[in-house]
Amino acid sequence: MNTNLAFTLSTLAGLSTILGTFVIFFSKKKTLNFLIGGISFASGVMFFLSIFDLIPESISFLKSTYQIIPCILLTGIFLSIGVILSITVDKLFPSTFNEKTLYKLGLITMIGIMIHNIPEGMATFITTNENINLGVSITIAITMHNIPEGISIALPIYYYTKSKKKAFLYTTICGLSEPLGALLAYLFLTPSTITLGIIYAIIAGIMIHISMYELLPNANKYKRYKITYIFYILGLILVLINKFLF
């Protein structure tokens, strides 16, 4: 068992989210273009991370118990449940995108990412206990996509509140969800592969909805499409680099 190292890696992976706030602290001009680019970039990362990472991981976990066809069906069902959950939240808190709703958008994104990070923390903890090298690789991969996730939280909150402290605080709280997942795994033993498969499918659905029906459309409302889709594609490129390298 490598419990201490597993906790350490899970914590480092989670707190890497804070690196996303650096764009606020070191950027001299807080322009609308920067906001659009950040939201579009985060949208691309969330969408393609779900497509290339979360959904395949869900099927992989479920394959330990079921045949491939039931795995795909179950993943599709729980993916749809994730979308429905996200739509329900959106219906309960309807809005049009402007400065007054940026704060809510940042909070919704934070909650979605926190839910996503808890099973990530569990996976990092469990994997490191079984295989240190694989645990380190997973930590590096998670760190790579946690940084733009931090941007997607910090930018809307800062743009509305003009408070660096609030942007930093909320991003930190989100990052702590990863070691929380590690703690849950430690306290309640190893979660079943079925549970992890279901969780990843639901979170993929939530992330896809946030990306395609919250972040990207909101960026498009400013009609600066060149900036929007350049940064959206950069999000895709980051996810692909992550997949090929790790």
Side-chain angles (χ1 to χ4, degrees):
M1 297 287 285
N2 304 290
T3 304
N4 290 336
L5 179 60
F7 270 121
T8 300
L9 292 180
S10 299
T11 302
L12 289 175
L15 294 182
S16 65
T17 308
I18 298 173
L19 296 176
T21 64
F22 285 5
V23 295
I24 289 173
F25 287 96
F26 296 112
S27 176
K28 294 181 179 179
K29 293 183 179 180
K30 316 306 187 294
T31 64
L32 181 61
N33 286 349
F34 190 73
L35 175 68
I36 295 170
I39 291 175
S40 302
F41 182 73
S43 175
V45 171
M46 287 184 183
F47 180 78
F48 292 106
L49 181 67
S50 297
I51 299 299
F52 295 131
D53 192 347
L54 294 179
I55 293 175
E57 282 294 318
S58 173
I59 295 173
S60 178
F61 279 125
L62 293 173
K63 276 175 63 178
S64 64
T65 304
Y66 304 105
Q67 298 296 320
I68 185 63
I69 299 301
C71 287
I72 294 174
L73 290 175
L74 284 171
T75 297
I77 290 171
F78 286 103
L79 178 74
S80 300
I81 289 174
V83 173
I84 291 171
L85 286 174
S86 188
I87 291 174
T88 300
V89 171
D90 195 45
K91 293 293 184 182
L92 290 174
F93 304 98
S95 66
T96 56
F97 191 74
N98 52 48
E99 288 193 4
K100 292 183 179 180
T101 60
L102 279 171
Y103 189 72
K104 190 202 78 171
L105 178 61
L107 291 179
I108 291 175
T109 304
M110 182 184 75
I111 293 170
I113 292 173
M114 285 180 68
I115 296 172
H116 174 201
N117 284 355
I118 289 175
E120 276 188 355
M122 297 172 73
T124 303
F125 180 85
I126 294 166
T127 303
T128 305
N129 268 318
E130 298 296 328
N131 185 325
I132 293 177
N133 290 334
L134 184 57
V136 171
S137 296
I138 289 177
T139 300
I140 294 172
I142 289 174
T143 297
M144 287 187 66
H145 75 252
N146 275 358
I147 294 173
E149 285 177 354
I151 294 174
S152 71
I153 298 168
L155 270 179
I157 290 176
Y158 174 74
Y159 199 81
Y160 172 62
T161 66
K162 303 297 188 277
S163 171
K164 294 178 181 178
K165 290 182 179 179
K166 286 186 177 181
F168 184 83
L169 175 62
Y170 288 10
T171 306
T172 301
I173 291 172
C174 181
L176 291 175
S177 62
E178 204 122 1
L180 173 62
L183 180 62
L184 291 174
Y186 176 74
L187 293 176
F188 300 104
L189 302 179
T190 304
S192 70
T193 53
I194 295 176
T195 301
L196 286 174
I198 290 172
I199 290 173
Y200 271 80
I202 292 175
I203 299 308
I206 292 173
M207 288 296 179
I208 287 172
H209 180 261
I210 290 176
S211 170
M212 301 307 294
Y213 293 93
E214 288 281 350
L215 298 179
L216 190 59
N218 289 330
N220 278 330
K221 287 182 180 178
Y222 291 102
K223 297 182 179 180
R224 301 188 182 184
Y225 301 113
K226 183 177 180 179
I227 296 173
T228 297
Y229 288 102
I230 285 176
F231 279 90
Y232 185 80
I233 292 172
L234 287 175
L236 164 62
I237 292 172
L238 176 63
V239 172
L240 291 177
I241 291 174
N242 183 38
K243 290 297 291 182
F244 282 120
L245 291 182
F246 306 104

